[in-house]
Amino acid sequence: MVNVVKEQKGSALVVRLSGSIEESVNFEQLIGAPAPEMNIHCKEVPRINSVGVKSWIKYFQSAQQKGSKLRFYECSTAIVEQINLISNFICGGTVESIYVPFSCTNCKSELIGQFRTEDLRKLQLKLPQLKCTKCGGSAVFDDIEEEYFAFLNR
Ligand SMILES: [Zn+2]
């Protein structure tokens, strides 16, 4: 089940998606006709399967064809995976910020950090360490840099 919360903010329609994107998703019905400017927040999308990907691309591609300006914010790790796998996943839009997986070097807890794409480019993949929320130890990036940040080089 996907839940959609919409809010008009200035000139942009803010769309907050939450829930797994799977078979039953009808974005046309959930979001409605695409707005000229759309800021899509994907923080709460824990997974998206192949059928979900198809409906996603169908909806946002038609938005792109109608001239919508698409910006994706707070992309969850599941969404980042698709952005890297499928070159037209963001349908001509821009990735503004993403979540990045970290793990604590001390207690092995997994945590996520949010980064703006612009800052990631500036950091040139030299990610800062995060402070572990459980033990206060330091957490380091926990994935394969060349894969997780592949989309930055497009
Ligand atoms: Zn820890």
Side-chain angles (χ1 to χ4, degrees), residues 104 107 132 135:
C104 176
C107 74
C132 175
C135 74

Side-chain angles (χ1 to χ4, degrees), residues 9-23:
K9 260 194 183 167
S11 58
L13 178 71
V14 176
V15 179
R16 288 176 204 282
L17 302 173
S18 54
S20 295
I21 301 174
E22 290 166 334
E23 276 74 6

Side-chain angles (χ1 to χ4, degrees), residues 2-56:
V2 178
N3 198 32
V4 174
V5 178
K6 295 190 290 180
E7 183 192 351
Q8 189 70 38
K9 260 194 183 167
S11 58
L13 178 71
V14 176
V15 179
R16 288 176 204 282
L17 302 173
S18 54
S20 295
I21 301 174
E22 290 166 334
E23 276 74 6
S24 53
V25 176
N26 183 339
F27 286 109
E28 198 69 49
Q29 217 169 61
L30 284 167
I31 306 177
E37 254 184 76
M38 297 175 87
N39 294 351
I40 301 111
H41 290 252
C42 318
K43 179 185 178 182
E44 314 278 351
V45 179
R47 63 179 241 113
I48 175 166
N49 72 2
S50 57
V51 184
V53 166
K54 271 187 201 148
S55 0
W56 172 288

Side-chain angles (χ1 to χ4, degrees), residues 5-7 28 51 56-57 59 63 81 84 89 100 114:
V5 178
K6 295 190 290 180
E7 183 192 351
E28 198 69 49
V51 184
W56 172 288
I57 289 177
Y59 180 79
E81 225 170 85
N84 284 320
F89 188 75
V100 176
Q114 195 195 148

Side-chain angles (χ1 to χ4, degrees), residues 5-137:
V5 178
K6 295 190 290 180
E7 183 192 351
Q8 189 70 38
K9 260 194 183 167
S11 58
L13 178 71
V14 176
V15 179
R16 288 176 204 282
L17 302 173
S18 54
S20 295
I21 301 174
E22 290 166 334
E23 276 74 6
S24 53
V25 176
N26 183 339
F27 286 109
E28 198 69 49
Q29 217 169 61
L30 284 167
I31 306 177
E37 254 184 76
M38 297 175 87
N39 294 351
I40 301 111
H41 290 252
C42 318
K43 179 185 178 182
E44 314 278 351
V45 179
R47 63 179 241 113
I48 175 166
N49 72 2
S50 57
V51 184
V53 166
K54 271 187 201 148
S55 0
W56 172 288
I57 289 177
K58 189 173 153 230
Y59 180 79
F60 289 112
Q61 220 158 42
S62 97
Q64 180 193 17
Q65 280 155 8
K66 286 172 187 149
S68 295
K69 194 171 177 199
L70 305 170
R71 296 188 201 94
F72 296 91
Y73 289 87
E74 302 178 308
C75 298
S76 66
T77 52
I79 294 293
V80 172
E81 225 170 85
Q82 298 304 326
I83 292 172
N84 284 320
L85 279 174
I86 305 165
S87 59
N88 67 338
F89 188 75
I90 54 169
C91 302
T94 54
V95 180
E96 299 290 332
S97 56
I98 65 168
Y99 277 98
V100 176
F102 282 77
S103 79
C104 176
T105 50
N106 183 43
C107 74
K108 307 291 171 213
S109 288
E110 291 177 5
L111 50 155
I112 51 169
Q114 195 195 148
F115 290 88
R116 293 194 313 164
T117 312
E118 200 190 323
D119 294 336
L120 287 170
R121 284 210 171 89
K122 278 187 207 144
L123 289 167
Q124 296 185 316
L125 301 189
K126 289 180 186 68
L127 293 185
Q129 297 190 344
L130 297 185
K131 193 174 170 184
C132 175
T133 45
K134 290 208 177 107
C135 74

